Structure formats: structure tokens, C-alpha cells
Amino acid sequence: MINQYLEITLYLAIGFITGKLVELDYRKQKLFENKVIEITKLQNYTKNIVDSINNGVISTDTNFFITSINRKGEDILGIDEKDEINITNILNDKNVLDILNQAKEQKLQFTNIKTNINVDGEDKFLSITVLPLFNILNKVQGLVIIIQDKSREKNLEAQTVRADRLVAVGELASGIAHEIRNPMGIIKTISQTLLEESDEKDLTEGLEIIVKEVDRANKVINGILNFAKPPDNEMKEISLTELFKEVVLITDKYLSTNNANMELSIGQDVNIEADKEKLKQVFINLIFNGVQAMDKGGKIFVTTELREKGVNISFKDTGRGIKKENLKKVFNPFFTTKEKGVGLGLSVSDRIIQDHNGYLAVDSIEGEGTQIDIYLPMQQKAGVKNKKQNINS
């Protein structure tokens, strides 16, 4: 009986202890699960904060392989967080590479580092901050790199400088043009009078040449005056699709005569506030420039793409392209590589686009062709049609 009571007591004791141990294990398991949930929530919260930052935030290990990157960083660099990428393959500027090594080895912080990269054919101007990433033992375990995309600011700065220069040149040109116009008018009048009275063949031919050249000079003078003091814009709400239909009708004959064709692809029809005739002048000028750059004919691609609060219009030809050293000169008044060119086409076009609160950019590779992009602000109340439209000529 004593043994049986002892066995029962021992059985109950073991059961009680086992129950307590199971209960303790269950509590620890629940505590662990709650901690995992809290950590996961904290990680997600932290990631959401980092993803909401309007700059690229990147962390790397000591070998410069990316360990984390936020959404803005992926967008700027054109990569995915899942990709195993070494940041030095993207930021491969020698100055930047030296700074990355110094930040890691000397535990230094660097700010406002300027560099350029090319992402999917698009040049980007970046401002970078580099900081060493420390662990709890205060040892460097990698880097934190903060990237700002300053491309738009850089373009606006360049356009401001360009606009100031154009205003100064325009005022000078206007004064010169006015001074030249009067004597040119006198020369033409005298030449025409002599032409009516002359019977000599050689003299007549010479006078005809003088009149013809005076007319050409007057044409240049008128171009200078229009550039220096363009007429006021007649701003109205217009449809981009309707505008391009008119452009196609005007340029169709010129394209076919020069063995060229144009493919116009408009993703969505939008309304913009613009001077219709002036925009038409810009588009026709760019198309004619593209045709003239294709010695044996070719193709011009015109596409539109909606951007934030605006639309980007791209003109791309398959012509001879522009030499690298000439790219910075193409907007300068009177700069031209054409034998009979005046050199005001792009300058005037650029000025018209600026008057529409937009901007114009040129990218070209010699031997491959030229692409000109125009950004124009879009009407907030613009009607949008989802049907894609293609017009070929």
C-alpha cells in the first residue's frame, strides 16, 4: 500500500512538473512568436520609412556589394534589390571609387560628391553622400550611400545659362540687323533700277545676282530680328494629336521627296496650353533637320510619353549624328554645319519651348543619329484617351 501511494504521489508530481514545463515552454514559444511579429513589423515599418525617402539610400558590405536599397535608389540606378550587384560597377568614376575606399578604411564621411552615370541610355547627374556603416563593436561593416538625382536641376541650370546668353546675343544681333537693313535696302533699290535700264548681258546677270543675294541677306536679317524680339505667343488649349496631324500633312511631301519617312506614335492624346503655330514651327524645323541629316534617306521616329505633369516629345533620326565637340554648340545662335544654314533653327526652337515653360535637350552619337527631346507642361484638365494612335508618312 505504501509503495502504491508512493507511485501515485510520484506520478502526480511528475505530471505536475511536466505540465508546468509544457506551460513554460508554451509561454516561451508565444513570447518568441510575439517578438518575431514585433521585429517583422519594425522591419516593415523601417523599410517603409526608408522607401518613403525621396533620395536613394543604399547599404553595402565591405566589398561594396549592395546589401539593401530603397525604392528611389532602385529607380535612380535602374536595378532591383534582389540583384547581386557591386556598387562600383555602377558608380565607376575613379574619384568616387577612391572616396568609397577612403570612407571604408579611414572611417571618413564624404558629402556632395558629383558624378555622372548612364542608365538605359539616359544620362543622369548625381550628388552622393558616403558614410561608414558601423556594427555594435564600432567596426566598419560596410557603407551607407545616399544618392540624389540632380539631372533636372542640372538641365534647368544649363537652360538658364543658355537663355541668358541668347538674350544678350539677341539684343546685339537686333542692333546689328537694324543697322544693316537700311543699306541693304538701298543696294537692292539701286540694283533693281539699274537692272531695268541695262541692256548689257554681263551687267544684267551681275545685278540679278546682287538682288538675289540681297534678298537672301534680308531673309537672314528677318530671322535675326524674329529671334531677338519674337512676337507674343497666342496661347490656347490645343490637342497634341491634332497638331501632329497638321505637321504630317505639311512635311509629307518633303519627306517623300528626300526618300525619308516618319513614324509618329502617340501613346495618349493630351491637351496642352500652347501657341499652335509656333509649336508647329518647332516640330517642322526638327523634322526638316532630321531629313537633312540623312544623306541617303532614312527614318524619323516621333514618340510621345506622359511624364509627371507634362509630356515628353521625342524626335529621333537615323542620320549622320553630331560630333561630340559640337553638341554643346548646337543651341548657339548662328552655329551651323550646313553650307547654306543660318544657324538659328535650334536657337529659335529652344526659345519657343522655353516660352512654353518647357525645355529642349539634344543627344547624339556620330554615325548613328540624333535624338531631340521636348518637355511641355500638360493641362491639368487634359482629356486622356487610352487608345494608342500611330500615324505613318
Side-chain angles (χ1 to χ4, degrees):
M1 288 292 292
I2 293 174
N3 289 336
Q4 288 177 348
Y5 281 123
L6 287 173
E7 287 177 0
I8 291 170
T9 302
L10 185 60
Y11 179 79
L12 292 173
I14 292 172
F16 177 77
I17 293 170
T18 303
K20 284 293 184 182
L21 290 174
V22 170
E23 183 182 0
L24 183 62
D25 183 65
Y26 174 76
R27 288 179 179 175
K28 288 183 177 179
Q29 184 68 28
K30 289 300 291 182
L31 183 62
F32 176 74
E33 289 176 1
N34 290 335
K35 289 294 182 184
V36 169
I37 292 171
E38 288 178 13
I39 292 171
T40 303
K41 286 182 178 179
L42 182 60
Q43 286 178 333
N44 290 335
Y45 182 68
T46 305
K47 181 171 175 56
N48 288 336
I49 291 174
V50 176
D51 280 340
S52 298
I53 296 173
N54 200 32
N55 294 322
V57 180
I58 303 166
S59 64
T60 74
D61 59 21
T62 52
N63 293 318
F64 306 130
F65 279 94
I66 296 174
T67 54
S68 70
I69 181 170
N70 68 344
R71 286 198 202 101
K72 188 64 177 180
E74 292 176 352
D75 181 55
I76 293 173
L77 302 182
I79 61 175
D80 192 285
E81 187 176 15
K82 298 175 183 177
D83 299 334
E84 187 175 347
I85 296 175
N86 195 304
I87 194 66
T88 58
N89 293 332
I90 302 174
L91 306 176
N92 53 12
D93 182 283
K94 185 179 183 301
N95 180 49
V96 175
L97 298 180
D98 290 341
I99 286 172
L100 294 180
N101 282 302
Q102 288 182 53
K104 180 184 74 171
E105 295 170 4
Q106 301 177 25
K107 302 180 181 180
L108 298 175
Q109 175 180 326
F110 296 87
T111 60
N112 203 30
I113 307 157
K114 308 297 184 184
T115 189
N116 294 296
I117 63 171
N118 187 281
V119 178
D120 298 328
E122 180 185 356
D123 289 323
K124 292 187 177 183
F125 183 79
L126 308 180
S127 177
I128 302 172
T129 297
V130 180
L131 309 95
L133 177 63
F134 297 99
N135 60 18
I136 57 174
L137 298 176
N138 203 34
K139 291 184 178 180
V140 176
Q141 65 177 35
L143 298 175
V144 175
I145 303 173
I146 301 170
I147 298 177
Q148 292 179 288
D149 188 353
K150 296 287 187 178
S151 304
R152 182 173 174 79
E153 289 87 343
K154 186 75 173 176
N155 289 334
L156 291 174
E157 180 184 336
Q159 287 168 32
T160 301
V161 172
R162 195 162 71 212
D164 291 341
R165 185 170 66 244
L166 290 179
V167 169
V169 172
E171 290 175 354
L172 176 63
S174 177
I176 295 172
H178 278 296
E179 292 299 322
I180 293 175
R181 174 176 268 181
N182 290 333
M184 293 298 289
I186 295 170
I187 292 170
K188 182 177 179 180
T189 301
I190 294 173
S191 299
Q192 288 175 330
T193 302
L194 292 173
L195 188 60
E196 292 173 359
E197 298 174 353
S198 175
D199 294 328
E200 295 181 24
K201 184 179 179 181
D202 290 342
L203 180 59
T204 300
E205 289 179 353
L207 291 170
E208 287 175 349
I209 291 172
I210 290 173
V211 172
K212 184 178 178 181
E213 290 303 307
V214 168
D215 286 339
R216 192 167 72 87
N218 278 326
K219 187 178 179 181
V220 173
I221 291 170
N222 288 333
I224 293 171
L225 291 173
N226 288 335
F227 167 74
K229 294 182 179 179
D232 294 335
N233 294 320
E234 296 182 6
M235 305 295 280
K236 294 180 180 178
E237 186 177 332
I238 62 171
S239 161
L240 202 56
T241 299
E242 294 302 317
L243 175 59
F244 270 114
K245 285 180 180 179
E246 295 183 25
V247 171
V248 169
L249 288 174
I250 295 170
T251 58
D252 184 59
K253 185 70 175 178
Y254 184 77
L255 287 161
S256 59
T257 302
N258 289 274
N259 195 31
N261 59 78
M262 178 173 66
E263 184 177 303
L264 175 62
S265 179
I266 298 181
Q268 293 178 332
D269 184 20
V270 296
N271 293 334
I272 56 176
E273 189 80 17
D275 185 316
K276 186 177 181 180
E277 294 305 315
K278 286 192 177 181
L279 272 193
K280 193 189 299 181
Q281 174 189 343
V282 172
F283 295 166
I284 292 171
N285 180 55
L286 296 181
I287 292 168
F288 279 17
N289 282 352
V291 172
Q292 292 163 11
M294 300 185 293
D295 299 319
K296 298 179 180 179
K299 200 163 189 177
I300 295 177
F301 301 90
V302 183
T303 59
T304 66
E305 179 186 0
L306 290 182
R307 297 282 178 87
E308 185 180 357
K309 298 181 181 179
V311 59
N312 188 79
I313 307 163
S314 176
F315 296 79
K316 185 176 182 181
D317 64 58
T318 56
R320 70 180 80 94
I322 303 170
K323 292 182 179 179
K324 191 173 182 180
E325 61 268 23
N326 289 338
L327 265 179
K328 293 182 178 180
K329 304 176 186 177
V330 293
F331 291 108
N332 293 347
F334 314 113
F335 174 80
T336 180
T337 57
K338 302 174 187 176
E339 291 183 6
K340 297 183 179 180
V342 179
L344 286 173
L346 268 181
S347 298
V348 172
S349 297
D350 184 41
R351 188 159 188 167
I352 290 172
I353 297 302
Q354 287 186 36
D355 288 343
H356 284 74
N357 298 317
Y359 60 84
L360 188 152
V362 178
D363 186 30
S364 183
I365 300 176
E366 189 176 3
E368 295 185 17
T370 300
Q371 179 171 324
I372 296 179
D373 290 297
I374 294 174
Y375 172 84
L376 291 170
M378 187 174 61
Q379 285 287 85
Q380 294 300 311
K381 60 180 180 179
V384 179
K385 302 173 185 177
N386 293 323
K387 185 178 179 181
K388 186 172 183 179
Q389 305 177 53
N390 291 286
I391 305 172
N392 297 313
S393 66

